Amino acid sequence: MGVARVRAWLQTARRIAVLTGAGMSAESGVPTFRDAQTGYWAQYRPEDMATEAGYRAQPGLVWRWYAHRRALLRGVAPNAGHVALAHFAQRHPGRLTLITQNVDGLHQQAGSPDVLCLHGDLLADRWLNPPRPCCHLEDSAAGEPPYCSTCGNLLRPGVVWFGEALPLAVLEAAQQAARACDLMLVVGTAGAVYPAAGLARLAREAGAQVAVLNPAPSELDDAAHAVLRGTAAQCLPALLAPADPQE
Ligand code: APR
């Protein structure tokens, strides 16, 4: 009953916002934050490395830790849930806004356009200090972050570190999508981390239908008009399948 009801909402909603979390990538086998802490890396605490202060203190170490986490992603591919979201967006241009807390790049890899990455992108780099005209990349020693030989600026991973603000333009676009949507689908998030989790409440307060898809209870269940107990790769293809095979 639940899937048919939410599927009917998806088919009639003019504007859809989708908020995803780590559970979206679980069936792709994405290593969690803690999975990376094995072997040599087990001696370090992510909280000490995933911060600007930690990076400035030991840039080479932290850069090598991110290289390790990126390597762990190499064997990982989008699952049927990522693909279903991408295909729906391709069939209905401009109708679905995808907002993710994930940094694994799997929505983008599956073909979803214009993904709003609230917590950044593990596969992207950016300058540590605001770039100056001189900033261009020099090849660095293996395992060391690329840098600018003129001013010493370093590249850093393009993820949001503990204590950092979310990228403002991305957050504002996500809040706008939450306010404007007729339906918000929340997939694979515990709903414990703000401001991301607040988007579901924002959508509900603005009058949208809210549906949660999660195999386990989450902190957003009480904000939902419908809760589907299922997984992303199993349920999203059924929810998002074309109404008409010719579609
Ligand atoms: N399909 C859908 N949901 C799933 C699946 C699945 N196959 N497997 C697990 N889940 C659900 C879990 O029940 C849980 O509610 O995914 C959720 C994952 O919760 P978290 O691991 O807390 O991930 P998330 O909510 O995305 O965390 C938010 O916190 O760790 C920081 O910045 C990090 O973006 C992350 C943020």
Side-chain angles (χ1 to χ4, degrees):
M1 168 55 188
V3 170
R5 187 173 171 222
V6 175
R7 180 168 162 75
W9 292 348
L10 276 161
Q11 285 172 340
T12 53
R14 284 178 303 112
R15 282 176 293 197
I16 302 162
V18 180
L19 172 66
T20 67
M24 180 75 228
S25 299
E27 286 150 295
S28 294
V30 171
T32 65
F33 212 32
R34 301 281 173 269
D35 291 352
Q37 299 320 99
T38 56
Y40 169 78
W41 297 105
Q43 64 189 299
Y44 298 102
R45 286 177 3 108
E47 294 78 0
D48 297 335
M49 292 199 281
T51 65
E52 182 176 335
Y55 188 62
R56 288 184 184 277
Q58 302 185 92
L61 175 73
V62 177
W63 184 260
R64 288 188 292 278
W65 181 56
Y66 277 91
H68 166 65
R69 290 182 57 202
R70 288 168 176 172
L72 290 177
L73 277 182
R74 280 197 202 113
V76 164
N79 61 53
H82 293 105
V83 172
L85 282 167
H87 286 179
F88 185 95
Q90 288 156 9
R91 292 197 309 272
H92 303 281
R95 191 168 153 213
L96 185 148
T97 302
L98 181 52
I99 306 157
T100 189
Q101 302 171 84
N102 300 338
V103 297
D104 56 33
L106 289 181
H107 283 304
Q108 300 91 309
Q109 209 177 311
S112 285
D114 310 320
V115 181
L116 296 176
C117 298
L118 294 175
H119 297 165
D121 184 345
L122 184 60
L123 304 178
D125 294 324
R126 60 184 173 88
W127 288 107
L128 177 60
N129 299 317
R132 299 178 190 169
C134 65
C135 286
H136 64 280
L137 289 184
E138 293 287 341
D139 286 337
S140 54
E144 293 301 320
Y147 66 99
C148 168
S149 58
T150 307
C151 69
N153 203 358
L154 298 176
L155 278 192
R156 55 160 284 178
V159 295
V160 176
W161 277 331
F162 289 108
E164 288 188 322
L166 273 60
L168 187 59
V170 175
L171 179 58
E172 286 175 343
Q175 290 167 333
Q176 174 54 35
R179 286 191 195 96
C181 71
D182 309 297
L183 171 65
M184 175 170 277
L185 182 58
V186 180
V187 182
T189 179
V193 172
Y194 284 76
L199 294 169
R201 302 188 189 286
L202 198 57
R204 175 143 189 168
E205 284 155 16
Q209 294 278 31
V210 176
V212 163
L213 171 58
N214 195 319
S218 83
E219 294 186 33
L220 293 177
D221 289 5
D222 68 305
H225 297 93
V227 175
L228 303 179
R229 285 287 174 253
T231 73
Q234 287 171 6
C235 292
L236 286 177
L239 280 174
L240 296 164
D244 169 359
Q246 303 308 317
E247 192 182 333

Short mmCIF file of all heavy atoms in Angstrom, two decimals, residues 31-94:
data_model
loop_
_atom_site.label_atom_id
_atom_site.label_comp_id
_atom_site.label_asym_id
_atom_site.label_seq_id
_atom_site.Cartn_x
_atom_site.Cartn_y
_atom_site.Cartn_z
N PRO A 31 32.24 2.38 1.58
CA PRO A 31 32.80 2.29 2.93
C PRO A 31 32.35 3.48 3.76
O PRO A 31 32.36 4.61 3.27
CB PRO A 31 34.31 2.34 2.68
CG PRO A 31 34.49 2.91 1.32
CD PRO A 31 33.25 2.61 0.55
N THR A 32 31.94 3.22 4.98
CA THR A 32 31.52 4.34 5.83
C THR A 32 32.77 5.07 6.32
O THR A 32 33.90 4.59 6.15
CB THR A 32 30.75 3.82 7.07
OG1 THR A 32 31.67 3.05 7.84
CG2 THR A 32 29.55 3.00 6.65
N PHE A 33 32.52 6.20 6.93
CA PHE A 33 33.59 7.01 7.51
C PHE A 33 34.53 6.12 8.35
O PHE A 33 35.74 6.19 8.27
CB PHE A 33 32.91 8.02 8.42
CG PHE A 33 33.58 9.34 8.52
CD1 PHE A 33 34.29 9.88 7.46
CD2 PHE A 33 33.49 10.07 9.69
CE1 PHE A 33 34.90 11.12 7.56
CE2 PHE A 33 34.10 11.31 9.80
CZ PHE A 33 34.80 11.83 8.74
N ARG A 34 33.92 5.22 9.09
CA ARG A 34 34.69 4.37 10.01
C ARG A 34 35.41 3.25 9.27
O ARG A 34 36.45 2.77 9.70
CB ARG A 34 33.77 3.78 11.09
CG ARG A 34 33.05 4.84 11.92
CD ARG A 34 33.94 5.44 13.01
NE ARG A 34 33.29 6.57 13.69
CZ ARG A 34 33.43 7.84 13.31
NH1 ARG A 34 34.11 8.13 12.23
NH2 ARG A 34 32.84 8.82 13.98
N ASP A 35 34.85 2.81 8.11
CA ASP A 35 35.48 1.70 7.36
C ASP A 35 36.91 2.07 6.97
O ASP A 35 37.77 1.22 6.81
CB ASP A 35 34.72 1.42 6.04
CG ASP A 35 33.35 0.82 6.31
OD1 ASP A 35 33.08 0.49 7.48
OD2 ASP A 35 32.57 0.72 5.35
N ALA A 36 37.11 3.38 6.73
CA ALA A 36 38.44 3.80 6.25
C ALA A 36 39.47 3.68 7.37
O ALA A 36 40.67 3.72 7.12
CB ALA A 36 38.35 5.26 5.77
N GLN A 37 38.98 3.51 8.62
CA GLN A 37 39.95 3.50 9.73
C GLN A 37 40.46 2.09 9.98
O GLN A 37 40.29 1.54 11.05
CB GLN A 37 39.28 4.08 10.98
CG GLN A 37 38.81 5.51 10.84
CD GLN A 37 39.79 6.39 10.06
OE1 GLN A 37 39.58 6.63 8.87
NE2 GLN A 37 40.84 6.84 10.71
N THR A 38 41.08 1.51 8.95
CA THR A 38 41.64 0.15 9.15
C THR A 38 43.14 0.20 8.87
O THR A 38 43.64 1.19 8.32
CB THR A 38 41.01 -0.84 8.12
OG1 THR A 38 41.26 -0.29 6.81
CG2 THR A 38 39.52 -1.00 8.33
N GLY A 39 43.86 -0.86 9.29
CA GLY A 39 45.29 -0.95 9.01
C GLY A 39 46.03 0.26 9.56
O GLY A 39 45.79 0.69 10.70
N TYR A 40 46.88 0.83 8.68
CA TYR A 40 47.73 1.98 9.09
C TYR A 40 46.87 3.11 9.63
O TYR A 40 47.21 3.79 10.58
CB TYR A 40 48.52 2.47 7.87
CG TYR A 40 49.22 3.79 8.08
CD1 TYR A 40 50.42 3.84 8.80
CD2 TYR A 40 48.70 4.99 7.57
CE1 TYR A 40 51.08 5.04 9.00
CE2 TYR A 40 49.35 6.20 7.77
CZ TYR A 40 50.53 6.22 8.48
OH TYR A 40 51.17 7.43 8.68
N TRP A 41 45.66 3.30 9.07
CA TRP A 41 44.82 4.46 9.42
C TRP A 41 44.07 4.26 10.72
O TRP A 41 43.48 5.19 11.25
CB TRP A 41 43.86 4.77 8.26
CG TRP A 41 44.63 5.14 7.04
CD1 TRP A 41 44.84 4.39 5.92
CD2 TRP A 41 45.36 6.37 6.85
NE1 TRP A 41 45.65 5.06 5.04
CE2 TRP A 41 45.99 6.27 5.58
CE3 TRP A 41 45.56 7.53 7.61
CZ2 TRP A 41 46.77 7.30 5.06
CZ3 TRP A 41 46.34 8.55 7.11
CH2 TRP A 41 46.94 8.43 5.84
N ALA A 42 44.08 3.03 11.25
CA ALA A 42 43.32 2.77 12.50
C ALA A 42 43.87 3.60 13.66
O ALA A 42 43.17 3.87 14.62
CB ALA A 42 43.39 1.28 12.83
N GLN A 43 45.12 4.06 13.54
CA GLN A 43 45.73 4.81 14.68
C GLN A 43 45.25 6.27 14.72
O GLN A 43 45.56 6.99 15.64
CB GLN A 43 47.26 4.78 14.53
CG GLN A 43 47.77 5.50 13.26
CD GLN A 43 49.24 5.28 13.03
OE1 GLN A 43 50.08 5.66 13.88
NE2 GLN A 43 49.59 4.61 11.92
N TYR A 44 44.51 6.68 13.68
CA TYR A 44 44.09 8.09 13.64
C TYR A 44 42.58 8.22 13.82
O TYR A 44 41.82 7.35 13.40
CB TYR A 44 44.49 8.72 12.30
CG TYR A 44 45.97 8.73 12.05
CD1 TYR A 44 46.56 7.81 11.20
CD2 TYR A 44 46.79 9.67 12.70
CE1 TYR A 44 47.93 7.80 11.00
CE2 TYR A 44 48.16 9.68 12.49
CZ TYR A 44 48.73 8.74 11.64
OH TYR A 44 50.09 8.74 11.43
N ARG A 45 42.15 9.33 14.41
CA ARG A 45 40.71 9.61 14.59
C ARG A 45 40.24 10.52 13.45
O ARG A 45 40.85 11.56 13.21
CB ARG A 45 40.48 10.33 15.92
CG ARG A 45 40.60 9.43 17.16
CD ARG A 45 40.45 10.17 18.50
NE ARG A 45 40.15 11.60 18.40
CZ ARG A 45 38.94 12.13 18.69
NH1 ARG A 45 37.95 11.34 19.03
NH2 ARG A 45 38.75 13.43 18.61
N PRO A 46 39.17 10.11 12.74
CA PRO A 46 38.68 10.97 11.66
C PRO A 46 38.43 12.41 12.14
O PRO A 46 38.70 13.37 11.43
CB PRO A 46 37.36 10.32 11.24
CG PRO A 46 37.47 8.91 11.69
CD PRO A 46 38.33 8.92 12.91
N GLU A 47 37.95 12.52 13.39
CA GLU A 47 37.64 13.86 13.90
C GLU A 47 38.88 14.75 13.92
O GLU A 47 38.79 15.97 13.84
CB GLU A 47 37.05 13.77 15.33
CG GLU A 47 35.70 13.10 15.42
CD GLU A 47 35.77 11.57 15.33
OE1 GLU A 47 36.90 11.02 15.19
OE2 GLU A 47 34.70 10.94 15.35
N ASP A 48 40.05 14.13 14.04
CA ASP A 48 41.28 14.95 14.10
C ASP A 48 41.78 15.30 12.69
O ASP A 48 42.53 16.25 12.52
CB ASP A 48 42.40 14.18 14.83
CG ASP A 48 42.02 13.91 16.29
OD1 ASP A 48 41.21 14.68 16.81
OD2 ASP A 48 42.52 12.91 16.85
N MET A 49 41.37 14.50 11.70
CA MET A 49 41.90 14.72 10.34
C MET A 49 40.90 15.48 9.47
O MET A 49 41.30 16.26 8.61
CB MET A 49 42.25 13.37 9.71
CG MET A 49 43.44 12.71 10.41
SD MET A 49 44.19 11.46 9.38
CE MET A 49 43.03 10.14 9.65
N ALA A 50 39.61 15.25 9.70
CA ALA A 50 38.61 15.91 8.84
C ALA A 50 38.26 17.29 9.40
O ALA A 50 37.09 17.63 9.64
CB ALA A 50 37.36 15.05 8.75
N THR A 51 39.32 18.09 9.64
CA THR A 51 39.12 19.48 10.10
C THR A 51 40.18 20.35 9.42
O THR A 51 41.26 19.86 9.05
CB THR A 51 39.37 19.61 11.63
OG1 THR A 51 40.75 19.32 11.89
CG2 THR A 51 38.46 18.69 12.42
N GLU A 52 39.88 21.65 9.31
CA GLU A 52 40.86 22.54 8.68
C GLU A 52 42.13 22.60 9.53
O GLU A 52 43.25 22.55 9.02
CB GLU A 52 40.29 23.94 8.50
CG GLU A 52 41.28 24.88 7.80
CD GLU A 52 40.72 26.25 7.52
OE1 GLU A 52 39.48 26.39 7.40
OE2 GLU A 52 41.54 27.19 7.40
N ALA A 53 41.95 22.65 10.87
CA ALA A 53 43.14 22.72 11.76
C ALA A 53 43.99 21.47 11.58
O ALA A 53 45.23 21.56 11.50
CB ALA A 53 42.68 22.86 13.21
N GLY A 54 43.32 20.32 11.49
CA GLY A 54 44.07 19.06 11.31
C GLY A 54 44.83 19.06 10.00
O GLY A 54 45.99 18.62 9.94
N TYR A 55 44.21 19.63 8.96
CA TYR A 55 44.87 19.65 7.65
C TYR A 55 46.06 20.61 7.65
O TYR A 55 47.14 20.29 7.16
CB TYR A 55 43.87 20.06 6.56
CG TYR A 55 44.41 19.93 5.16
CD1 TYR A 55 44.79 18.69 4.66
CD2 TYR A 55 44.57 21.03 4.33
CE1 TYR A 55 45.30 18.54 3.38
CE2 TYR A 55 45.09 20.91 3.05
CZ TYR A 55 45.45 19.67 2.58
OH TYR A 55 45.96 19.54 1.31
N ARG A 56 45.86 21.77 8.26
CA ARG A 56 46.96 22.75 8.30
C ARG A 56 48.13 22.21 9.12
O ARG A 56 49.30 22.46 8.81
CB ARG A 56 46.48 24.09 8.86
CG ARG A 56 45.56 24.86 7.91
CD ARG A 56 45.17 26.23 8.44
NE ARG A 56 44.22 26.92 7.55
CZ ARG A 56 44.58 27.61 6.47
NH1 ARG A 56 45.86 27.68 6.12
NH2 ARG A 56 43.67 28.20 5.71
N ALA A 57 47.80 21.41 10.12
CA ALA A 57 48.87 20.88 10.99
C ALA A 57 49.66 19.78 10.29
O ALA A 57 50.89 19.71 10.39
CB ALA A 57 48.26 20.33 12.28
N GLN A 58 48.95 18.91 9.56
CA GLN A 58 49.62 17.77 8.90
C GLN A 58 49.05 17.57 7.50
O GLN A 58 48.36 16.57 7.24
CB GLN A 58 49.42 16.51 9.72
CG GLN A 58 49.93 16.59 11.17
CD GLN A 58 49.81 15.26 11.89
OE1 GLN A 58 50.74 14.45 11.89
NE2 GLN A 58 48.65 15.01 12.50
N PRO A 59 49.27 18.50 6.58
CA PRO A 59 48.63 18.41 5.26
C PRO A 59 48.95 17.11 4.51
O PRO A 59 48.06 16.51 3.91
CB PRO A 59 49.16 19.64 4.51
CG PRO A 59 50.33 20.12 5.28
CD PRO A 59 50.13 19.70 6.69
N GLY A 60 50.20 16.66 4.60
CA GLY A 60 50.56 15.43 3.87
C GLY A 60 49.79 14.24 4.41
O GLY A 60 49.21 13.46 3.64
N LEU A 61 49.74 14.13 5.74
CA LEU A 61 49.03 12.98 6.34
C LEU A 61 47.56 12.98 5.93
O LEU A 61 47.01 11.98 5.48
CB LEU A 61 49.16 13.05 7.87
CG LEU A 61 48.36 11.98 8.64
CD1 LEU A 61 49.05 10.61 8.48
CD2 LEU A 61 48.22 12.35 10.11
N VAL A 62 46.92 14.13 6.09
CA VAL A 62 45.47 14.20 5.80
C VAL A 62 45.23 14.00 4.31
O VAL A 62 44.30 13.31 3.89
CB VAL A 62 44.89 15.54 6.29
CG1 VAL A 62 43.41 15.65 5.93
CG2 VAL A 62 45.08 15.66 7.81
N TRP A 63 46.13 14.57 3.47
CA TRP A 63 45.98 14.38 2.02
C TRP A 63 46.06 12.88 1.67
O TRP A 63 45.25 12.37 0.90
CB TRP A 63 47.06 15.16 1.27
CG TRP A 63 46.94 15.09 -0.21
CD1 TRP A 63 47.67 14.28 -1.06
CD2 TRP A 63 46.06 15.86 -1.03
NE1 TRP A 63 47.26 14.50 -2.36
CE2 TRP A 63 46.29 15.46 -2.38
CE3 TRP A 63 45.10 16.84 -0.78
CZ2 TRP A 63 45.58 16.02 -3.45
CZ3 TRP A 63 44.40 17.40 -1.84
CH2 TRP A 63 44.64 16.98 -3.15
N ARG A 64 46.98 12.15 2.32
CA ARG A 64 47.14 10.71 2.06
C ARG A 64 45.93 9.93 2.57
O ARG A 64 45.49 8.95 1.98
CB ARG A 64 48.45 10.20 2.68
CG ARG A 64 49.69 10.65 1.94
CD ARG A 64 50.96 9.98 2.45
NE ARG A 64 51.30 10.39 3.81
CZ ARG A 64 51.95 11.52 4.11
NH1 ARG A 64 52.27 12.39 3.14
NH2 ARG A 64 52.26 11.82 5.37
N TRP A 65 45.31 10.41 3.67
CA TRP A 65 44.11 9.75 4.20
C TRP A 65 42.97 9.89 3.20
O TRP A 65 42.25 8.92 2.91
CB TRP A 65 43.72 10.36 5.54
CG TRP A 65 42.50 9.74 6.17
CD1 TRP A 65 42.31 8.41 6.46
CD2 TRP A 65 41.31 10.41 6.59
NE1 TRP A 65 41.07 8.23 7.03
CE2 TRP A 65 40.44 9.44 7.15
CE3 TRP A 65 40.90 11.76 6.58
CZ2 TRP A 65 39.18 9.76 7.66
CZ3 TRP A 65 39.64 12.08 7.09
CH2 TRP A 65 38.80 11.09 7.62
N TYR A 66 42.81 11.08 2.57
CA TYR A 66 41.77 11.25 1.57
C TYR A 66 42.08 10.44 0.33
O TYR A 66 41.18 9.88 -0.29
CB TYR A 66 41.55 12.74 1.28
CG TYR A 66 40.63 13.37 2.30
CD1 TYR A 66 41.12 13.97 3.46
CD2 TYR A 66 39.25 13.29 2.15
CE1 TYR A 66 40.27 14.48 4.42
CE2 TYR A 66 38.39 13.81 3.11
CZ TYR A 66 38.90 14.40 4.26
OH TYR A 66 38.05 14.89 5.21
N ALA A 67 43.38 10.33 -0.02
CA ALA A 67 43.72 9.49 -1.17
C ALA A 67 43.31 8.04 -0.89
O ALA A 67 42.78 7.34 -1.77
CB ALA A 67 45.23 9.57 -1.44
N HIS A 68 43.50 7.61 0.35
CA HIS A 68 43.09 6.26 0.78
C HIS A 68 41.58 6.11 0.66
O HIS A 68 41.06 5.13 0.10
CB HIS A 68 43.56 6.04 2.23
CG HIS A 68 42.94 4.87 2.93
ND1 HIS A 68 43.17 3.55 2.53
CD2 HIS A 68 42.09 4.80 3.99
CE1 HIS A 68 42.50 2.74 3.34
NE2 HIS A 68 41.82 3.46 4.22
N ARG A 69 40.82 7.12 1.14
CA ARG A 69 39.35 7.03 1.08
C ARG A 69 38.87 7.07 -0.37
O ARG A 69 37.91 6.38 -0.74
CB ARG A 69 38.73 8.18 1.89
CG ARG A 69 38.94 7.99 3.39
CD ARG A 69 38.29 9.10 4.19
NE ARG A 69 36.86 9.18 3.90
CZ ARG A 69 36.14 10.30 4.11
NH1 ARG A 69 36.73 11.37 4.57
NH2 ARG A 69 34.86 10.31 3.85
N ARG A 70 39.56 7.84 -1.22
CA ARG A 70 39.17 7.87 -2.64
C ARG A 70 39.44 6.51 -3.28
O ARG A 70 38.66 6.01 -4.09
CB ARG A 70 39.93 8.98 -3.37
CG ARG A 70 39.44 10.36 -3.00
CD ARG A 70 40.37 11.46 -3.50
NE ARG A 70 39.80 12.77 -3.19
CZ ARG A 70 40.46 13.92 -3.35
NH1 ARG A 70 41.69 13.91 -3.85
NH2 ARG A 70 39.89 15.06 -3.04
N ALA A 71 40.56 5.88 -2.88
CA ALA A 71 40.91 4.56 -3.43
C ALA A 71 39.84 3.54 -3.05
O ALA A 71 39.46 2.68 -3.86
CB ALA A 71 42.27 4.13 -2.93
N LEU A 72 39.30 3.68 -1.83
CA LEU A 72 38.25 2.75 -1.38
C LEU A 72 37.00 2.88 -2.24
O LEU A 72 36.22 1.96 -2.38
CB LEU A 72 37.89 3.01 0.09
CG LEU A 72 38.95 2.65 1.14
CD1 LEU A 72 38.46 3.05 2.53
CD2 LEU A 72 39.26 1.16 1.11
N LEU A 73 36.81 4.05 -2.85
CA LEU A 73 35.62 4.27 -3.68
C LEU A 73 35.78 3.68 -5.07
O LEU A 73 34.81 3.49 -5.80
CB LEU A 73 35.34 5.77 -3.81
CG LEU A 73 34.59 6.45 -2.67
CD1 LEU A 73 34.37 7.92 -3.00
CD2 LEU A 73 33.25 5.76 -2.41
N ARG A 74 37.02 3.39 -5.47
CA ARG A 74 37.25 2.97 -6.86
C ARG A 74 36.47 1.71 -7.22
O ARG A 74 35.98 1.56 -8.34
CB ARG A 74 38.74 2.77 -7.12
CG ARG A 74 39.41 4.11 -7.37
CD ARG A 74 40.78 4.05 -8.01
NE ARG A 74 41.44 5.34 -7.67
CZ ARG A 74 42.50 5.43 -6.88
NH1 ARG A 74 43.06 4.32 -6.38
NH2 ARG A 74 43.02 6.58 -6.54
N GLY A 75 36.28 0.78 -6.28
CA GLY A 75 35.57 -0.45 -6.60
C GLY A 75 34.06 -0.32 -6.42
O GLY A 75 33.33 -1.30 -6.47
N VAL A 76 33.57 0.89 -6.28
CA VAL A 76 32.17 1.10 -5.92
C VAL A 76 31.42 1.70 -7.11
O VAL A 76 31.96 2.52 -7.84
CB VAL A 76 32.13 2.06 -4.70
CG1 VAL A 76 30.75 2.64 -4.52
CG2 VAL A 76 32.56 1.31 -3.45
N ALA A 77 30.19 1.24 -7.33
CA ALA A 77 29.41 1.75 -8.47
C ALA A 77 28.01 2.15 -7.99
O ALA A 77 27.52 1.65 -6.98
CB ALA A 77 29.29 0.67 -9.53
N PRO A 78 27.35 3.03 -8.75
CA PRO A 78 25.98 3.38 -8.39
C PRO A 78 25.08 2.13 -8.34
O PRO A 78 25.29 1.18 -9.11
CB PRO A 78 25.54 4.30 -9.55
CG PRO A 78 26.81 4.83 -10.12
CD PRO A 78 27.82 3.74 -9.95
N ASN A 79 24.11 2.13 -7.42
CA ASN A 79 23.19 0.98 -7.37
C ASN A 79 21.89 1.32 -8.11
O ASN A 79 21.75 2.43 -8.65
CB ASN A 79 22.94 0.56 -5.91
CG ASN A 79 22.31 1.67 -5.07
OD1 ASN A 79 21.27 2.21 -5.45
ND2 ASN A 79 22.95 2.02 -3.96
N ALA A 80 20.96 0.39 -8.11
CA ALA A 80 19.70 0.57 -8.87
C ALA A 80 18.92 1.78 -8.37
O ALA A 80 18.17 2.41 -9.15
CB ALA A 80 18.85 -0.69 -8.74
N GLY A 81 19.12 2.16 -7.13
CA GLY A 81 18.43 3.34 -6.61
C GLY A 81 18.98 4.62 -7.23
O GLY A 81 18.23 5.50 -7.68
N HIS A 82 20.32 4.71 -7.30
CA HIS A 82 20.94 5.89 -7.95
C HIS A 82 20.48 5.98 -9.41
O HIS A 82 20.15 7.06 -9.91
CB HIS A 82 22.47 5.74 -7.95
CG HIS A 82 23.14 5.78 -6.61
ND1 HIS A 82 23.63 4.65 -5.98
CD2 HIS A 82 23.41 6.81 -5.77
CE1 HIS A 82 24.18 4.98 -4.83
NE2 HIS A 82 24.07 6.27 -4.68
N VAL A 83 20.47 4.83 -10.07
CA VAL A 83 20.12 4.80 -11.50
C VAL A 83 18.66 5.20 -11.71
O VAL A 83 18.33 5.98 -12.61
CB VAL A 83 20.41 3.41 -12.09
CG1 VAL A 83 19.88 3.28 -13.51
CG2 VAL A 83 21.91 3.11 -12.03
N ALA A 84 17.78 4.73 -10.83
CA ALA A 84 16.34 5.07 -10.96
C ALA A 84 16.13 6.57 -10.82
O ALA A 84 15.37 7.19 -11.57
CB ALA A 84 15.54 4.31 -9.91
N LEU A 85 16.84 7.18 -9.88
CA LEU A 85 16.72 8.64 -9.68
C LEU A 85 17.24 9.39 -10.91
O LEU A 85 16.63 10.35 -11.39
CB LEU A 85 17.50 9.08 -8.43
CG LEU A 85 16.82 8.80 -7.09
CD1 LEU A 85 17.81 8.99 -5.94
CD2 LEU A 85 15.62 9.73 -6.89
N ALA A 86 18.36 8.91 -11.44
CA ALA A 86 18.96 9.59 -12.61
C ALA A 86 18.04 9.47 -13.83
O ALA A 86 17.79 10.45 -14.54
CB ALA A 86 20.33 8.99 -12.91
N HIS A 87 17.49 8.28 -14.03
CA HIS A 87 16.61 8.08 -15.20
C HIS A 87 15.34 8.92 -15.08
O HIS A 87 14.87 9.51 -16.06
CB HIS A 87 16.27 6.59 -15.36
CG HIS A 87 17.41 5.79 -15.89
ND1 HIS A 87 17.34 4.41 -16.10
CD2 HIS A 87 18.67 6.15 -16.24
CE1 HIS A 87 18.50 3.98 -16.57
NE2 HIS A 87 19.33 5.02 -16.65
N PHE A 88 14.80 9.02 -13.86
CA PHE A 88 13.58 9.83 -13.68
C PHE A 88 13.89 11.29 -14.03
O PHE A 88 13.13 11.94 -14.75
CB PHE A 88 13.09 9.72 -12.23
CG PHE A 88 11.77 10.43 -12.00
CD1 PHE A 88 10.57 9.74 -12.06
CD2 PHE A 88 11.74 11.79 -11.72
CE1 PHE A 88 9.35 10.39 -11.85
CE2 PHE A 88 10.54 12.46 -11.51
CZ PHE A 88 9.35 11.75 -11.58
N ALA A 89 15.03 11.78 -13.53
CA ALA A 89 15.39 13.18 -13.79
C ALA A 89 15.61 13.42 -15.28
O ALA A 89 15.26 14.46 -15.83
CB ALA A 89 16.65 13.54 -13.01
N GLN A 90 16.15 12.41 -15.96
CA GLN A 90 16.39 12.55 -17.42
C GLN A 90 15.06 12.54 -18.19
O GLN A 90 14.87 13.24 -19.16
CB GLN A 90 17.32 11.44 -17.90
CG GLN A 90 18.77 11.62 -17.44
CD GLN A 90 19.56 10.32 -17.39
OE1 GLN A 90 19.09 9.28 -17.86
NE2 GLN A 90 20.76 10.37 -16.81
N ARG A 91 14.07 11.76 -17.71
CA ARG A 91 12.75 11.71 -18.37
C ARG A 91 11.93 12.97 -18.07
O ARG A 91 11.04 13.33 -18.85
CB ARG A 91 11.97 10.48 -17.91
CG ARG A 91 12.51 9.15 -18.35
CD ARG A 91 11.47 8.03 -18.21
NE ARG A 91 10.85 7.98 -16.90
CZ ARG A 91 11.35 7.30 -15.85
NH1 ARG A 91 12.52 6.67 -15.96
NH2 ARG A 91 10.72 7.27 -14.69
N HIS A 92 12.21 13.59 -16.94
CA HIS A 92 11.40 14.74 -16.51
C HIS A 92 12.31 15.92 -16.17
O HIS A 92 12.45 16.29 -15.01
CB HIS A 92 10.55 14.37 -15.28
CG HIS A 92 9.66 13.19 -15.47
ND1 HIS A 92 8.47 13.27 -16.15
CD2 HIS A 92 9.81 11.89 -15.11
CE1 HIS A 92 7.90 12.07 -16.17
NE2 HIS A 92 8.70 11.22 -15.55
N PRO A 93 12.93 16.51 -17.16
CA PRO A 93 13.91 17.58 -16.91
C PRO A 93 13.32 18.71 -16.07
O PRO A 93 12.19 19.14 -16.31
CB PRO A 93 14.26 18.10 -18.32
CG PRO A 93 13.88 17.00 -19.25
CD PRO A 93 12.75 16.25 -18.61
N GLY A 94 14.06 19.11 -15.04
CA GLY A 94 13.66 20.27 -14.25
C GLY A 94 12.61 19.98 -13.19
O GLY A 94 12.26 20.86 -12.40
#
